[in-house]
Structures are given as structure tokens and as C-alpha cells.
Amino acid sequence: MKSKLKLHGFNNLTKTLSFNIYDICYAKTPEDQQAYVQYIDEEYDAQRLTQILTDVVDIIGANVLNIARQDYDPQGASVTILISEQPVEPTESQIEESPGPLPETILAHLDKSHITVHTYPEIHPVDGLATFRVDIDVSTCGVISPLKALNYLIHQFDSDIVTVDYRVRGFTRDVEGRKHFIDHEINSIQKYLSADTRAAYQMTDVNVYQENMFHTKMLLKDFDLDNYLFGDATLNLSVEQRKQVEKRLRHEMLEIFYARNMPH
């Protein structure tokens, strides 16, 4: 077991994990496009998102102080959970930065800072492309790690594209007065992903090590067109139309992954 850093007082480091998660879909008719938005709104309403974030609170070792949630008209939802600090000793597994559990293996304990989620359903009025975006922030203070939430959150959504940022801010002091601007070793967010996640995604990093900032972009490798069709499009596309739709979807995914408009 690694020796622990003896601190002078409380660990003042703030660790923040931020996600953009995208689900892409094709809906052929205006009616199907509206039906898709309604489906997303019902599947990921404020109540469902609250349950997901509550599970995250348990995974990182936290205690809920307050929950604010809101569904929006015509679509979208937001949830913010404020987390408290309590004089409870975290377990060794919660302190250690390591891959967290998958959805079927959730454990609970402890407490710390805040978690937020916002959803953004969007439809292209001409091409029929529907993009559902989820923004999530998990911010903790002290020794517990938001990295524990990585695998659970990726598995909770149909994640075609994921961008993840992890940053450690502030400093804490050891008993000799020396400042520590990070309290664990890390060279890539990818290290904390489960084996099945690493195998499923094409990934690239942009890291600023001297600033304790880490960024990973993920694009799903396997592409099965039938998984991206909604409503009438699931049955009534010709072979040529399927090729055109697949091309549009791939182009949309690449533009989001590289964060730039690209020529067709």
C-alpha cells in the first residue's frame, strides 16, 4: 500500500470532472423528429437524471444536502445536487484514483461538493439529424475522487461521442508547510476507463501536465446504421438512402468529435 501524504489540516484541492456526452440519431419525417425529442425528454427527464446523479454521489462517496431539478418547455432538463462534508472517514478505495464501478456494481459511503447535469436535444430541420447532448460536472474537494464516476456515466447514456475534462485546482499543504498542487499521479484520463470502454472507443488526448489539466475525446468505433435510425426511417429507406444517411451521420459525428465544421 502506498504511503499517505500527511497534510496540515484539510485537503483543499478541488478536483473537477466534466463531460459532454452525445447521442446521434436520424429521424426522416418532421413527425418522427418531434417524436424523438419527446422520447429523449421522457427517457432523460429530471427525475431520471436525479437518480443517475444520486448514484454518482454514492459512487464517489458523498452525502446529498440538497437537490434542485427542473424540466423545461419545449425540451431539456437540469439537475444540481449540493453535497456536504461530514466527519466520516472515506474508504481506501474511494481515496484512490482508479477505475470506478460499472452500473451494476454501485457502492455507497461519504460526502463532498456539487454535481450538475443539463440536457440539450437538438434536430437539424433539413437533414433529419438529431443530436442529444448531456453536460455533466462532478466537482469534489478533499481526498475523494470524481474519477470514480467515469465508467458509470459513460454506460448510463447511449454515448456515441464523449469529451472528458479533468482538472485539479488550488493547493493543499503537508505538515512541513510545502504546497501540493495535486495529490495523485495521472498522465491520462484513459487510465481510469474500464477495459471494455477503452476497446469500444477511438480516443485522443490533449493534456497540459504542468497545469494539471487533462482532456480526452472519445468516438465510438463500431457503426451499425440500424442503431441510429428512428421511426419511419427504420423500415422505409432504400439501399441508396441508407448509404446517404450513413454518410450524413458519420460526417455529423466527425464534426462533433473534432469540434469543427468539415467539408462534405
Side-chain angles (χ1 to χ4, degrees), residues 20-254:
N20 274 319
I21 297 175
Y22 298 88
D23 175 49
I24 315 299
C25 184
Y26 174 77
K28 183 179 180 182
T29 67
E31 293 78 16
D32 283 341
Q33 293 168 13
Q34 291 305 313
Y36 172 78
V37 171
Q38 183 176 353
Y39 161 76
I40 287 295
D41 247 15
E42 293 174 356
E43 184 72 10
Y44 297 107
D45 63 3
Q47 183 175 352
R48 169 79 188 284
L49 295 173
T50 299
Q51 183 57 58
I52 291 173
L53 293 196
T54 301
D55 289 343
V56 170
V57 171
D58 291 340
I59 289 169
I60 66 175
N63 186 45
V64 174
L65 263 184
N66 182 65
I67 299 175
R69 64 187 184 188
Q70 181 65 55
D71 288 303
Y72 298 109
D73 186 5
Q75 66 255 350
S78 297
V79 178
T80 299
I81 297 182
L82 182 65
I83 314 167
S84 70
E85 291 181 34
Q86 299 290 344
V88 178
E89 285 296 318
T91 66
E92 187 66 31
S93 65
Q94 288 169 331
I95 295 174
E96 180 188 3
E97 277 74 14
S98 63
L102 297 179
E104 65 271 18
T105 55
I106 300 171
L107 301 175
H109 291 53
L110 189 67
D111 46 46
K112 293 288 187 269
S113 190
H114 71 270
I115 304 175
T116 63
V117 60
H118 307 282
T119 65
Y120 304 89
E122 183 263 356
I123 293 176
H124 191 294
V126 178
D127 286 343
L129 297 176
T131 304
F132 173 54
R133 182 174 115 238
V134 183
D135 286 359
I136 303 174
D137 287 305
V138 182
S139 187
T140 68
C141 296
V143 294
I144 62 174
S145 174
L147 290 168
K148 290 288 185 184
L150 264 173
N151 293 297
Y152 175 79
L153 286 171
I154 291 171
H155 282 73
Q156 281 300 298
F157 298 92
D158 293 326
S159 306
D160 296 317
I161 302 153
V162 185
T163 62
V164 190
D165 293 286
Y166 177 63
R167 184 177 182 185
V168 180
R169 294 173 294 168
F171 67 88
T172 194
R173 296 180 189 271
D174 60 27
V175 291
E176 297 177 353
R178 177 180 172 83
K179 296 184 183 71
H180 294 266
F181 297 92
I182 193 168
D183 62 354
H184 62 283
E185 295 181 2
I186 178 173
N187 54 30
S188 174
I189 294 171
Q190 295 186 36
K191 175 183 176 183
Y192 303 98
L193 297 171
S194 60
D196 66 324
T197 301
R198 291 196 301 271
Y201 290 87
Q202 169 190 333
M203 292 186 282
T204 183
D205 282 359
V206 180
N207 300 321
V208 186
Y209 300 104
Q210 63 271 31
E211 298 294 335
N212 296 321
M213 298 171 61
F214 305 88
H215 176 76
T216 296
K217 296 194 293 186
M218 305 166 55
L219 176 65
L220 196 65
K221 292 178 181 178
D222 291 338
F223 186 93
D224 182 349
L225 180 60
D226 290 330
N227 293 334
Y228 294 86
L229 301 180
F230 186 86
D232 185 66
T234 59
L235 298 174
N236 298 321
L237 291 180
S238 66
V239 173
E240 184 59 34
Q241 286 175 322
R242 287 177 66 90
K243 290 180 180 178
Q244 293 175 359
V245 170
E246 180 174 342
K247 184 177 180 181
R248 289 181 198 170
L249 286 166
R250 288 182 178 275
H251 185 269
E252 178 84 351
M253 293 170 72
L254 288 174

